[in-house]
Amino acid sequence: MPPKPAAPIRPVFVNLGPRSYTVQVGSGLLAGMGAELAKKMMGTKVAVITDSNVGPLYAEQVMDSLRQGGKEPTLITVPAGEESKSLSCLDTVCGEM
């Protein structure tokens, strides 16, 4: 059976005035994250910040991809929920980096 063609990657602009940014939407992007980051970032140390809901689903794949791209990732997991959107949680995250 021939390989399945890659799904197109679609840039999506998030319009927030001066804080606007573009995100990439597509299938299989996590597996290529390390290679993509290697093209755009010279250093090797990176932090992956996730929460306790998302981390168990995707962190291992992201960490593996980053290692394959020559990066040295550190995984930082915060509790899921609004309580983590606080200065004390930020202090904890910065301390782990």
Side-chain angles (χ1 to χ4, degrees):
M1 180 184 295
K4 187 175 174 183
I9 297 171
R10 184 171 55 102
V12 175
F13 181 71
V14 179
N15 188 355
L16 297 174
R19 299 178 305 129
S20 297
Y21 56 93
T22 301
V23 296
Q24 302 295 322
V25 177
S27 179
L29 291 175
L30 294 181
M33 182 180 286
E36 190 64 28
L37 193 58
K39 292 187 237 173
K40 298 179 180 189
M41 182 188 142
M42 293 178 64
T44 58
K45 296 188 183 278
V46 297
V48 176
I49 303 170
T50 187
D51 73 20
S52 55
N53 287 338
V54 175
L57 300 173
Y58 303 106
E60 185 175 337
Q61 183 180 12
V62 170
M63 299 291 282
D64 288 345
S65 178
L66 291 169
R67 286 186 199 101
Q68 290 172 7
K71 302 303 177 194
E72 299 172 36
T74 297
L75 179 63
I76 302 169
T77 304
V78 300
E82 291 299 312
E83 303 82 35
S84 293
K85 298 176 184 177
S86 67
L87 290 177
S88 66
C89 188
L90 174 63
D91 184 52
T92 301
V93 167
C94 288
E96 291 186 41
M97 295 186 350

